[in-house]
């Protein structure tokens, strides 16, 4: 796939009236840097949900009986194909980490922030006073916000790359041009907002949306213009736009770690808008899982088999 996360599969399961689905990416564990040249290719694999927020989608409560049937079937399927485990990123607004407790072991990771857009009057009211002043500062400086089709990303890429370099982002978190070109497939559910100062695009954000939610995906700014607070105005205007579209919640996501500067920026937009980011795992073959941990330990004596990763051999 474009982001190098493996082969994509849609899992769909029905049991009586219960049904659910979710997307996973299958990777060859031998391709991971931790196992390069140590185990053979094409023998062991694992799954993870795509970068971002996902997990099971369902239209009903999944019964314990259905969960047991799914766990049995998926374990048999995976064990017969060398698939050792799965790592699941759940969606904070859907709270779908409660969907399958008998199948997926879960762990709270950190908080994310959302803006309540059901009532437009609440958007400014829920912002902290400093952020309201930053929005007014941008307006006073005649910064304006324009909406563009998702295909109009040429001005976005350089500000995005500049921001990722400034923040020292790892390569995995930096999307390449072919990714932006692929977003044409999302043209009915995505757009770009630009902040304009003196006819120059100085900040931008890619938004995903449906009829219920809007999600703040990627953003970037030219450093020299940050003094005009274009990013603050952009997210405020995005929230107002979402409200006008009938969208109830605008999800900003969280930081790279709890209470970092990125999370601090986002929480200014809603003092009452925290939603939990939860991750989970299922181990399909415990014997091979432990074998992979032992291989890591033999290759690196300082490796902690009891580390905090959900898929510990991936640490």
């Amino acid at each position: 796939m474009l982001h190098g996360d493996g082969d994509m599969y849609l899992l769909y399961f029905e049991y009586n009236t219960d049904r659910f689905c979710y997307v996973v990416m299958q990777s060859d564990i031998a391709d991971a840097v931790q196992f390069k040249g140590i185990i053979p290719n094409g023998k062991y694999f694992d799954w993870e949900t795509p970068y971002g927020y996902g997990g099971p989608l369902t239209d009903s409560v999944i019964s314990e009986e259905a969960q047991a049937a799914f766990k049995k079937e998926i374990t048999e399927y995976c064990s017969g194909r060398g698939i050792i485990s799965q790592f699941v990123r759940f969606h904070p607004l859907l709270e779908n980490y409660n969907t399958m407790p008998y199948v997926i072991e879960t762990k709270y990771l950190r908080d994310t922030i959302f803006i309540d857009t059901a009532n437009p009057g609440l958007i400014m009211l829920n912002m902290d006073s400093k952020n309201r002043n930053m929005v007014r500062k941008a307006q006073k400086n005649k910064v304006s916000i324009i909406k563009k089709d998702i295909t109009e990303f040429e001005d976005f890429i350089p500000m995005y790359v500049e921001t990722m370099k400034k923040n020292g982002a790892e390569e995995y978190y930096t999307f390449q041009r072919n990714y932006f070109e692929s977003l044409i497939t999302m043209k009915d559910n995505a757009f770009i907002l630009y902040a304009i100062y003196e006819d120059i695009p100085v900040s931008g954000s890619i938004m995903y949306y449906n009829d219920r939610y809007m999600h703040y995906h990627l953003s970037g700014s030219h450093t020299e213009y940050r003094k005009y607070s274009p990013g603050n105005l952009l997210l405020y205007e995005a929230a107002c736009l979402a409200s006008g579209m009938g969208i109830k919640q605008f999800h900003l996501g969280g930081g790279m770690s709890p209470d970092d500067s990125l999370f601090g920026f986002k929480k200014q937009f809603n003092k009452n808008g925290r939603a939990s980011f939860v991750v989970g795992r299922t181990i399909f073959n415990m014997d091979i899982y432990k074998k992979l941990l032992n291989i890591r330990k033999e290759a690196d004596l300082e490796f902690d088999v009891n580390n905090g990763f959900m898929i510990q051999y991936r640490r």
Side-chain angles (χ1 to χ4, degrees), residues 1-283:
M1 299 304 291
L2 288 175
H3 201 46
D5 290 328
D7 298 319
M8 182 169 61
Y9 294 93
L10 174 66
L11 307 184
Y12 178 78
F13 184 75
E14 284 190 13
Y15 184 88
N16 296 330
T17 59
D18 296 336
R19 61 178 185 168
F20 61 86
C21 67
Y22 62 103
V23 174
V24 296
M25 311 293 286
Q26 180 171 305
S27 299
D28 190 329
I29 297 173
D31 290 335
V33 64
Q34 301 95 326
F35 293 98
K36 206 75 171 177
I38 300 176
I39 62 175
N41 284 94
K43 187 173 183 179
Y44 301 130
F45 304 88
D46 54 17
W47 287 347
E48 68 174 301
T49 55
Y51 169 75
Y53 306 108
L57 297 176
T58 182
D59 53 9
S60 63
V61 175
I62 302 172
S63 68
E64 185 175 343
E65 185 180 4
Q67 291 183 58
F70 174 68
K71 187 172 184 179
K72 180 177 183 297
E73 187 170 327
I74 199 68
T75 299
E76 290 175 356
Y77 176 91
C78 291
S79 296
R81 291 166 175 79
I83 301 164
I84 310 308
S85 65
Q86 70 171 349
F87 173 66
V88 180
R89 301 173 176 93
F90 295 96
H91 198 294
L93 297 186
L94 297 178
E95 297 184 341
N96 52 350
Y97 49 84
N98 293 318
T99 306
M100 293 193 287
Y102 298 100
V103 179
I104 305 174
E105 174 190 352
T106 60
K107 175 183 178 181
Y108 164 80
L109 205 59
R110 53 183 173 267
D111 280 351
T112 66
I113 298 294
F114 70 91
I115 300 175
D116 183 350
T117 55
N119 181 340
L122 289 177
I123 297 172
M124 184 69 81
L125 185 65
N126 283 336
M127 290 163 55
D128 69 21
S129 58
K130 179 182 177 182
N131 197 24
R132 288 196 292 267
N133 289 336
M134 299 293 270
V135 168
R136 294 181 182 118
K137 174 184 177 182
Q139 292 169 331
K140 184 178 180 181
N141 284 307
K142 301 190 185 313
V143 176
S144 60
I145 306 299
I146 60 171
K147 179 184 176 184
K148 291 285 189 177
D149 188 86
I150 193 61
T151 60
E152 299 188 50
F153 55 75
E154 293 298 341
D155 289 320
F156 178 77
I157 290 179
M159 61 179 71
Y160 167 71
V161 171
E162 179 181 333
T163 299
M164 298 304 278
K165 287 182 177 178
K166 179 178 180 295
N167 293 336
E170 296 177 21
E171 183 179 353
Y172 176 78
Y173 297 104
T174 303
F175 291 87
Q176 304 303 314
R177 184 182 183 85
N178 58 354
Y179 173 77
F180 296 105
E181 292 172 346
S182 76
L183 293 180
I184 190 172
T185 60
M186 293 280 292
K187 61 184 179 64
D188 294 329
N189 295 97
F191 58 84
I192 302 179
L193 288 182
Y194 286 111
I196 308 296
Y197 177 73
E198 294 185 346
D199 298 323
I200 301 171
V202 298
S203 184
S205 294
I206 292 177
M207 306 294 177
Y208 291 157
Y209 69 96
N210 60 18
D211 59 344
R212 296 173 59 192
Y213 307 115
M214 190 157 82
H215 178 68
Y216 177 45
H217 179 45
L218 300 176
S219 66
S221 297
H222 289 307
T223 305
E224 63 185 294
Y225 294 100
R226 293 183 69 180
K227 59 188 177 184
Y228 300 115
S229 305
N232 302 73
L233 179 63
L234 191 151
L235 286 184
Y236 168 69
E237 293 285 355
C240 293
L241 179 62
S243 184
M245 295 165 65
I247 292 169
K248 304 301 182 186
Q249 293 176 313
F250 175 25
H251 190 232
L252 303 185
M256 296 304 295
S257 60
D259 296 317
D260 64 8
S261 59
L262 179 58
F263 181 78
F265 171 71
K266 292 175 178 179
K267 74 178 181 179
Q268 299 177 98
F269 286 89
N270 189 359
K271 56 194 174 187
N272 303 310
R274 293 190 178 224
S276 298
F277 177 36
V278 175
V279 295
R281 74 173 182 180
T282 308
I283 299 173

